[in-house]
Amino acid sequence: MSTVIARHSWLTNPWSKPLLWGVALMPLAWLIGRASAGAYVNPEEALVRGTGDWALRMLLLTLAVTPARVSLHLPQLLRFRRSLGQLSFVYACVHLSLYLWLIVGFESGKLVHDLARHPYVFAGMATFVCMLPLGLTSSNAAIRALGAARWQVLHRLVYVVAALAMLHFFWVRASKNQVIEPMLYAAVLGGLLAWRLWYWNRNAPAGGCGH
């Protein structure tokens, strides 16, 4: 047992979370560096699209923590779930900010036009609206203020966020006749949600209903 614990001691190392943040933010630095170097034909679109992609990837990694923790018998993984959720929120904030700056030019009229004309813009905005309370309450202080039970209920919004984010992603890619990648991401999300349904039903009390 001590050997197993020692083998995974890096998961509880105080430096593991800062390391996670450093590694997870490298794609953002890479996108900015490539855009600054003129590597993209359309740098504005590349930055907006790239940060949105990474927001979705971080969200899927957040949802993957619990299945990985249970399946691999690594309870230490739980300490990274909130950080991954926060990273998804950071990328979503950057994604929205870049869209409002580079695409819309902070013009309210153009934003309203995009919301009315493009379903993927509306879905993306709805995703961020649902994500906002999760990002703002992702702290120990928020858990204490709300109470653990209310905090857990609120953070079940993550499933709504995931569904809306996938819809946004699919519509963006479909508008450019690119559907293979969204289908792969949807399969990953479907697998994560199917695992949860299986796990909840397996552990539900007899005669009760899991959630």
Side-chain angles (χ1 to χ4, degrees), residues 3-14 16 76 79:
T3 304
V4 174
I5 294 174
R7 189 182 305 164
H8 301 295
S9 60
W10 62 273
L11 292 172
T12 57
N13 190 293
S16 57
Q76 303 94 329
R79 64 191 297 265

Side-chain angles (χ1 to χ4, degrees), residues 66-131:
T66 296
R69 173 178 63 85
V70 174
S71 302
L72 300 176
H73 305 288
L74 288 174
Q76 303 94 329
L77 289 175
L78 185 61
R79 64 191 297 265
F80 300 103
R81 186 173 62 185
R82 193 187 306 175
S83 291
L84 288 168
Q86 290 168 340
L87 282 160
S88 178
F89 182 62
V90 167
Y91 271 104
C93 287
V94 175
H95 174 62
L96 177 60
S97 299
L98 289 173
Y99 164 74
L100 293 175
W101 174 33
L102 300 175
I103 308 300
V104 176
F106 294 115
E107 296 180 18
S108 58
K110 188 172 182 181
L111 175 60
V112 171
H113 177 268
D114 277 3
L115 286 168
R117 184 179 178 184
H118 303 298
Y120 62 81
V121 175
F122 187 85
M125 198 63 68
T127 303
F128 186 79
V129 168
C130 291
M131 199 178 203

Side-chain angles (χ1 to χ4, degrees), residues 12 21 26 34 36 42 47 49 53 58 61 65 67-68 87 103-104 126-127 152 163 170 176-177 202:
T12 57
W21 276 85
M26 285 176 65
R34 294 269 292 171
S36 301
N42 188 336
L47 286 170
R49 178 170 168 169
D53 290 352
M58 291 298 168
L61 284 173
V65 168
L87 282 160
I103 308 300
V104 176
T127 303
Q152 287 180 349
F170 180 82
K176 300 181 181 298
N177 296 317
R202 190 191 71 169

Side-chain angles (χ1 to χ4, degrees), residues 25-74:
L25 290 175
M26 285 176 65
L28 178 58
W30 183 78
L31 284 168
I32 294 173
R34 294 269 292 171
S36 301
Y40 301 118
V41 175
N42 188 336
E44 292 84 3
E45 181 183 351
L47 286 170
V48 173
R49 178 170 168 169
T51 51
D53 290 352
W54 279 101
L56 178 58
R57 289 165 189 156
M58 291 298 168
L59 180 61
L60 292 176
L61 284 173
T62 304
L63 293 174
V65 168
T66 296
R69 173 178 63 85
V70 174
S71 302
L72 300 176
H73 305 288
L74 288 174

